[in-house]
Amino acid sequence: MSKTTSLLFALSIGIPFTAMADVTLQIPEGVDILAINSQQPEKSVGLFASDEETLKDGLNQIVFKYSPSFMVGTDLKQAYSDVYVVKLNAKDTELSFKLPDYRSVNEAKEHIENMQWSLVDKQGHNVVVAQDKLKKNGIQIGRDYVAEIKEYNLNGGIAAMNSALVIADQDHVATTVVSNSTQVNKAPVVNTTVSNLNQLKAWYKKSSEQERKAFRKWIVDQE
């Protein structure tokens, strides 16, 4: 259905067209989307996988990896990036990955660990708010990325998505009904202190020694 048809349909039934806006994530060859907002992707996996996913407007979190392929003689060789956690902010637009274009599998294997990449909207603006790597010790086969990202979010990683925001979005209709009721239950209290502390710890562990010294000096100056 085209944008024009969608608009006419929305107007005919009295629904604001802005409510139908969304974000389209284009998935290039070599990119695997492993989780979206702590859930399995809907369209980019399976036998008839799509090369795009639809995200809600506003904040989203995706988990992905990049595995470019190369023909070496008659063999297909691949290089594998780390698994990235990305928190992004976009509205009613189309997003595209900007990834390195390696000339050979050897070049890819040498540089992919520290690859430079971005995620941009139709105007070319980078929509990434925060990024991190989803690390796992030991054997990497058969990873449960949904379970891993849920744990990552609970631990308050750099690119963590507040689980309360995800739940609120999934249960938006029910939440709206309750909020308009004459008898409203109190919302659960979110321990933001613990969440902020975990995030500070994560940042501190990933920072360089020079950054840690500067941070400690700043803390002392605040006392």
Side-chain angles (χ1 to χ4, degrees):
M1 183 182 292
S2 67
K3 288 278 187 179
T4 303
T5 306
S6 299
L7 175 59
L8 293 174
F9 176 75
L11 292 174
S12 68
I13 61 176
I15 298 177
F17 183 68
T18 53
M20 303 179 69
D22 52 31
V23 176
T24 302
L25 174 65
Q26 297 296 326
I27 306 169
E29 184 178 355
V31 169
D32 293 314
I33 303 298
L34 307 169
I36 298 176
N37 295 330
S38 300
Q39 301 294 327
Q40 286 279 1
E42 292 184 0
K43 298 187 292 184
S44 59
V45 295
L47 184 59
F48 301 104
S50 171
D51 60 358
E52 66 178 37
E53 286 280 353
T54 302
L55 310 177
K56 63 183 179 64
D57 280 340
L59 283 175
N60 287 278
Q61 182 191 61
I62 64 171
V63 179
F64 84 94
K65 66 178 178 181
Y66 180 39
S67 308
S69 301
F70 305 87
M71 287 302 300
V72 181
T74 58
D75 297 326
L76 183 66
K77 303 288 186 179
Q78 284 185 292
Y80 301 93
S81 76
D82 289 318
V83 177
Y84 285 85
V85 183
V86 183
K87 183 160 66 173
L88 60 99
N89 190 6
K91 183 178 180 181
D92 190 22
T93 190
E94 183 178 287
L95 304 181
S96 302
F97 281 93
K98 300 296 182 183
L99 298 159
D101 185 15
Y102 300 114
R103 293 171 294 180
S104 67
V105 66
N106 290 333
E107 181 186 12
K109 288 181 177 180
E110 182 179 354
H111 298 290
I112 200 167
E113 183 178 358
N114 298 307
M115 69 175 187
Q116 299 297 312
W117 64 275
S118 60
L119 190 60
V120 300
D121 61 18
K122 288 190 293 186
Q123 287 72 42
H125 300 139
N126 195 335
V127 299
V128 175
V129 175
Q131 62 171 292
D132 200 1
K133 293 182 179 181
L134 191 62
K135 297 288 189 178
K136 180 184 179 182
N137 296 325
I139 299 175
Q140 303 295 302
I141 299 175
R143 293 176 63 175
D144 186 341
Y145 295 104
V146 171
E148 287 184 38
I149 193 59
K150 286 180 179 179
E151 182 179 1
Y152 174 91
N153 287 332
L154 287 174
N155 290 332
I158 294 173
M161 191 78 162
N162 190 325
S163 58
L165 292 178
V166 176
I167 294 172
D169 178 71
Q170 293 172 345
D171 299 330
H172 175 69
V173 176
T175 304
T176 303
V177 172
V178 172
S179 64
N180 290 334
S181 173
T182 54
Q183 295 181 347
V184 181
N185 294 326
K186 290 185 177 180
V189 177
V190 179
N191 192 338
T192 56
T193 301
V194 174
S195 178
N196 290 338
L197 179 60
N198 286 334
Q199 194 162 18
L200 284 172
K201 288 179 179 178
W203 282 335
Y204 187 83
K205 289 179 180 178
K206 291 180 179 293
S207 62
S208 66
E209 184 58 32
Q210 184 177 359
E211 290 170 335
R212 292 183 182 184
K213 289 180 180 178
F215 180 73
R216 290 195 294 266
K217 182 179 182 301
W218 181 84
I219 289 294
V220 172
D221 291 340
Q222 306 309 305
E223 297 295 332

PDB file of all heavy atoms in Angstrom, residues 166-187:
ATOM      1  N   VAL A 166      10.602  -0.605  26.870  1.00  0.00           N
ATOM      2  CA  VAL A 166      10.187  -1.656  25.951  1.00  0.00           C
ATOM      3  C   VAL A 166       8.833  -2.202  26.341  1.00  0.00           C
ATOM      4  O   VAL A 166       7.938  -2.390  25.520  1.00  0.00           O
ATOM      5  CB  VAL A 166      11.233  -2.790  25.913  1.00  0.00           C
ATOM      6  CG1 VAL A 166      10.754  -3.929  25.028  1.00  0.00           C
ATOM      7  CG2 VAL A 166      12.571  -2.265  25.426  1.00  0.00           C
ATOM      8  N   ILE A 167       8.653  -2.476  27.640  1.00  0.00           N
ATOM      9  CA  ILE A 167       7.374  -2.996  28.119  1.00  0.00           C
ATOM     10  C   ILE A 167       6.265  -1.982  27.891  1.00  0.00           C
ATOM     11  O   ILE A 167       5.164  -2.317  27.471  1.00  0.00           O
ATOM     12  CB  ILE A 167       7.476  -3.344  29.622  1.00  0.00           C
ATOM     13  CG1 ILE A 167       8.462  -4.511  29.807  1.00  0.00           C
ATOM     14  CG2 ILE A 167       6.111  -3.706  30.189  1.00  0.00           C
ATOM     15  CD1 ILE A 167       8.788  -4.802  31.249  1.00  0.00           C
ATOM     16  N   ALA A 168       6.576  -0.703  28.141  1.00  0.00           N
ATOM     17  CA  ALA A 168       5.567   0.340  27.944  1.00  0.00           C
ATOM     18  C   ALA A 168       5.129   0.423  26.500  1.00  0.00           C
ATOM     19  O   ALA A 168       3.954   0.638  26.199  1.00  0.00           O
ATOM     20  CB  ALA A 168       6.121   1.688  28.407  1.00  0.00           C
ATOM     21  N   ASP A 169       6.071   0.257  25.577  1.00  0.00           N
ATOM     22  CA  ASP A 169       5.733   0.313  24.158  1.00  0.00           C
ATOM     23  C   ASP A 169       4.906  -0.888  23.738  1.00  0.00           C
ATOM     24  O   ASP A 169       3.938  -0.764  22.995  1.00  0.00           O
ATOM     25  CB  ASP A 169       7.018   0.362  23.314  1.00  0.00           C
ATOM     26  CG  ASP A 169       6.714   0.384  21.830  1.00  0.00           C
ATOM     27  OD1 ASP A 169       6.222   1.413  21.364  1.00  0.00           O
ATOM     28  OD2 ASP A 169       6.959  -0.626  21.156  1.00  0.00           O
ATOM     29  N   GLN A 170       5.261  -2.082  24.224  1.00  0.00           N
ATOM     30  CA  GLN A 170       4.530  -3.289  23.860  1.00  0.00           C
ATOM     31  C   GLN A 170       3.117  -3.273  24.421  1.00  0.00           C
ATOM     32  O   GLN A 170       2.184  -3.810  23.819  1.00  0.00           O
ATOM     33  CB  GLN A 170       5.287  -4.519  24.370  1.00  0.00           C
ATOM     34  CG  GLN A 170       6.616  -4.742  23.664  1.00  0.00           C
ATOM     35  CD  GLN A 170       7.417  -5.847  24.314  1.00  0.00           C
ATOM     36  OE1 GLN A 170       7.137  -6.260  25.438  1.00  0.00           O
ATOM     37  NE2 GLN A 170       8.423  -6.328  23.598  1.00  0.00           N
ATOM     38  N   ASP A 171       2.950  -2.690  25.583  1.00  0.00           N
ATOM     39  CA  ASP A 171       1.646  -2.662  26.239  1.00  0.00           C
ATOM     40  C   ASP A 171       1.027  -1.273  26.192  1.00  0.00           C
ATOM     41  O   ASP A 171       0.320  -0.858  27.093  1.00  0.00           O
ATOM     42  CB  ASP A 171       1.780  -3.109  27.705  1.00  0.00           C
ATOM     43  CG  ASP A 171       2.313  -4.531  27.815  1.00  0.00           C
ATOM     44  OD1 ASP A 171       2.035  -5.318  26.888  1.00  0.00           O
ATOM     45  OD2 ASP A 171       2.987  -4.846  28.791  1.00  0.00           O
ATOM     46  N   HIS A 172       1.293  -0.530  25.111  1.00  0.00           N
ATOM     47  CA  HIS A 172       0.874   0.877  25.026  1.00  0.00           C
ATOM     48  C   HIS A 172      -0.639   1.025  25.160  1.00  0.00           C
ATOM     49  O   HIS A 172      -1.138   1.895  25.867  1.00  0.00           O
ATOM     50  CB  HIS A 172       1.342   1.474  23.704  1.00  0.00           C
ATOM     51  CG  HIS A 172       0.861   2.875  23.474  1.00  0.00           C
ATOM     52  ND1 HIS A 172       1.329   3.933  24.215  1.00  0.00           N
ATOM     53  CD2 HIS A 172      -0.055   3.383  22.616  1.00  0.00           C
ATOM     54  CE1 HIS A 172       0.739   5.038  23.815  1.00  0.00           C
ATOM     55  NE2 HIS A 172      -0.104   4.735  22.845  1.00  0.00           N
ATOM     56  N   VAL A 173      -1.384   0.163  24.473  1.00  0.00           N
ATOM     57  CA  VAL A 173      -2.843   0.275  24.498  1.00  0.00           C
ATOM     58  C   VAL A 173      -3.372   0.037  25.903  1.00  0.00           C
ATOM     59  O   VAL A 173      -4.196   0.806  26.420  1.00  0.00           O
ATOM     60  CB  VAL A 173      -3.474  -0.734  23.515  1.00  0.00           C
ATOM     61  CG1 VAL A 173      -4.989  -0.689  23.626  1.00  0.00           C
ATOM     62  CG2 VAL A 173      -3.047  -0.423  22.088  1.00  0.00           C
ATOM     63  N   ALA A 174      -2.888  -1.022  26.549  1.00  0.00           N
ATOM     64  CA  ALA A 174      -3.353  -1.328  27.898  1.00  0.00           C
ATOM     65  C   ALA A 174      -2.973  -0.225  28.867  1.00  0.00           C
ATOM     66  O   ALA A 174      -3.750   0.154  29.746  1.00  0.00           O
ATOM     67  CB  ALA A 174      -2.764  -2.659  28.372  1.00  0.00           C
ATOM     68  N   THR A 175      -1.779   0.329  28.705  1.00  0.00           N
ATOM     69  CA  THR A 175      -1.328   1.400  29.580  1.00  0.00           C
ATOM     70  C   THR A 175      -2.204   2.639  29.424  1.00  0.00           C
ATOM     71  O   THR A 175      -2.535   3.315  30.400  1.00  0.00           O
ATOM     72  CB  THR A 175       0.138   1.765  29.256  1.00  0.00           C
ATOM     73  OG1 THR A 175       0.935   0.598  29.372  1.00  0.00           O
ATOM     74  CG2 THR A 175       0.655   2.842  30.195  1.00  0.00           C
ATOM     75  N   THR A 176      -2.597   2.949  28.174  1.00  0.00           N
ATOM     76  CA  THR A 176      -3.439   4.108  27.921  1.00  0.00           C
ATOM     77  C   THR A 176      -4.796   3.953  28.580  1.00  0.00           C
ATOM     78  O   THR A 176      -5.335   4.902  29.172  1.00  0.00           O
ATOM     79  CB  THR A 176      -3.635   4.300  26.401  1.00  0.00           C
ATOM     80  OG1 THR A 176      -2.347   4.435  25.793  1.00  0.00           O
ATOM     81  CG2 THR A 176      -4.455   5.533  26.103  1.00  0.00           C
ATOM     82  N   VAL A 177      -5.369   2.760  28.517  1.00  0.00           N
ATOM     83  CA  VAL A 177      -6.670   2.508  29.132  1.00  0.00           C
ATOM     84  C   VAL A 177      -6.590   2.699  30.630  1.00  0.00           C
ATOM     85  O   VAL A 177      -7.444   3.336  31.252  1.00  0.00           O
ATOM     86  CB  VAL A 177      -7.159   1.080  28.793  1.00  0.00           C
ATOM     87  CG1 VAL A 177      -8.414   0.755  29.594  1.00  0.00           C
ATOM     88  CG2 VAL A 177      -7.439   0.960  27.304  1.00  0.00           C
ATOM     89  N   VAL A 178      -5.529   2.163  31.238  1.00  0.00           N
ATOM     90  CA  VAL A 178      -5.379   2.277  32.681  1.00  0.00           C
ATOM     91  C   VAL A 178      -5.181   3.721  33.100  1.00  0.00           C
ATOM     92  O   VAL A 178      -5.755   4.191  34.072  1.00  0.00           O
ATOM     93  CB  VAL A 178      -4.185   1.408  33.161  1.00  0.00           C
ATOM     94  CG1 VAL A 178      -3.889   1.674  34.625  1.00  0.00           C
ATOM     95  CG2 VAL A 178      -4.496  -0.065  32.951  1.00  0.00           C
ATOM     96  N   SER A 179      -4.373   4.465  32.344  1.00  0.00           N
ATOM     97  CA  SER A 179      -4.077   5.842  32.713  1.00  0.00           C
ATOM     98  C   SER A 179      -5.299   6.734  32.621  1.00  0.00           C
ATOM     99  O   SER A 179      -5.392   7.748  33.311  1.00  0.00           O
ATOM    100  CB  SER A 179      -2.960   6.390  31.820  1.00  0.00           C
ATOM    101  OG  SER A 179      -3.397   6.441  30.484  1.00  0.00           O
ATOM    102  N   ASN A 180      -6.280   6.388  31.773  1.00  0.00           N
ATOM    103  CA  ASN A 180      -7.488   7.176  31.632  1.00  0.00           C
ATOM    104  C   ASN A 180      -8.595   6.738  32.585  1.00  0.00           C
ATOM    105  O   ASN A 180      -9.659   7.331  32.626  1.00  0.00           O
ATOM    106  CB  ASN A 180      -8.012   7.081  30.192  1.00  0.00           C
ATOM    107  CG  ASN A 180      -7.099   7.807  29.226  1.00  0.00           C
ATOM    108  OD1 ASN A 180      -6.407   8.736  29.609  1.00  0.00           O
ATOM    109  ND2 ASN A 180      -7.082   7.369  27.979  1.00  0.00           N
ATOM    110  N   SER A 181      -8.331   5.684  33.321  1.00  0.00           N
ATOM    111  CA  SER A 181      -9.339   5.163  34.248  1.00  0.00           C
ATOM    112  C   SER A 181      -9.429   6.048  35.482  1.00  0.00           C
ATOM    113  O   SER A 181      -8.490   6.735  35.864  1.00  0.00           O
ATOM    114  CB  SER A 181      -8.965   3.734  34.656  1.00  0.00           C
ATOM    115  OG  SER A 181      -9.831   3.265  35.658  1.00  0.00           O
ATOM    116  N   THR A 182     -10.572   6.021  36.135  1.00  0.00           N
ATOM    117  CA  THR A 182     -10.741   6.821  37.353  1.00  0.00           C
ATOM    118  C   THR A 182     -10.015   6.196  38.534  1.00  0.00           C
ATOM    119  O   THR A 182      -9.707   6.882  39.503  1.00  0.00           O
ATOM    120  CB  THR A 182     -12.237   6.931  37.711  1.00  0.00           C
ATOM    121  OG1 THR A 182     -12.797   5.614  37.789  1.00  0.00           O
ATOM    122  CG2 THR A 182     -12.975   7.720  36.656  1.00  0.00           C
ATOM    123  N   GLN A 183      -9.742   4.884  38.443  1.00  0.00           N
ATOM    124  CA  GLN A 183      -8.996   4.221  39.487  1.00  0.00           C
ATOM    125  C   GLN A 183      -7.711   3.696  38.877  1.00  0.00           C
ATOM    126  O   GLN A 183      -7.683   2.663  38.242  1.00  0.00           O
ATOM    127  CB  GLN A 183      -9.786   3.056  40.094  1.00  0.00           C
ATOM    128  CG  GLN A 183     -11.055   3.513  40.817  1.00  0.00           C
ATOM    129  CD  GLN A 183     -11.804   2.342  41.415  1.00  0.00           C
ATOM    130  OE1 GLN A 183     -11.520   1.196  41.099  1.00  0.00           O
ATOM    131  NE2 GLN A 183     -12.734   2.636  42.287  1.00  0.00           N
ATOM    132  N   VAL A 184      -6.628   4.440  39.062  1.00  0.00           N
ATOM    133  CA  VAL A 184      -5.350   4.098  38.462  1.00  0.00           C
ATOM    134  C   VAL A 184      -4.421   3.543  39.532  1.00  0.00           C
ATOM    135  O   VAL A 184      -4.227   4.164  40.571  1.00  0.00           O
ATOM    136  CB  VAL A 184      -4.705   5.335  37.805  1.00  0.00           C
ATOM    137  CG1 VAL A 184      -3.378   4.956  37.170  1.00  0.00           C
ATOM    138  CG2 VAL A 184      -5.645   5.947  36.781  1.00  0.00           C
ATOM    139  N   ASN A 185      -3.850   2.360  39.251  1.00  0.00           N
ATOM    140  CA  ASN A 185      -2.877   1.804  40.177  1.00  0.00           C
ATOM    141  C   ASN A 185      -1.561   2.543  40.029  1.00  0.00           C
ATOM    142  O   ASN A 185      -1.219   3.023  38.959  1.00  0.00           O
ATOM    143  CB  ASN A 185      -2.654   0.308  39.885  1.00  0.00           C
ATOM    144  CG  ASN A 185      -3.900  -0.505  40.160  1.00  0.00           C
ATOM    145  OD1 ASN A 185      -4.646  -0.192  41.068  1.00  0.00           O
ATOM    146  ND2 ASN A 185      -4.115  -1.540  39.354  1.00  0.00           N
ATOM    147  N   LYS A 186      -0.810   2.595  41.081  1.00  0.00           N
ATOM    148  CA  LYS A 186       0.479   3.255  41.033  1.00  0.00           C
ATOM    149  C   LYS A 186       1.427   2.470  40.141  1.00  0.00           C
ATOM    150  O   LYS A 186       1.466   1.250  40.174  1.00  0.00           O
ATOM    151  CB  LYS A 186       1.085   3.373  42.443  1.00  0.00           C
ATOM    152  CG  LYS A 186       0.339   4.356  43.332  1.00  0.00           C
ATOM    153  CD  LYS A 186       1.049   4.502  44.653  1.00  0.00           C
ATOM    154  CE  LYS A 186       0.344   5.537  45.535  1.00  0.00           C
ATOM    155  NZ  LYS A 186       1.035   5.688  46.837  1.00  0.00           N
ATOM    156  N   ALA A 187       2.199   3.201  39.345  1.00  0.00           N
ATOM    157  CA  ALA A 187       3.172   2.556  38.461  1.00  0.00           C
ATOM    158  C   ALA A 187       4.300   1.975  39.292  1.00  0.00           C
ATOM    159  O   ALA A 187       4.644   2.506  40.344  1.00  0.00           O
ATOM    160  CB  ALA A 187       3.742   3.575  37.473  1.00  0.00           C
TER     161      ALA A 187
END
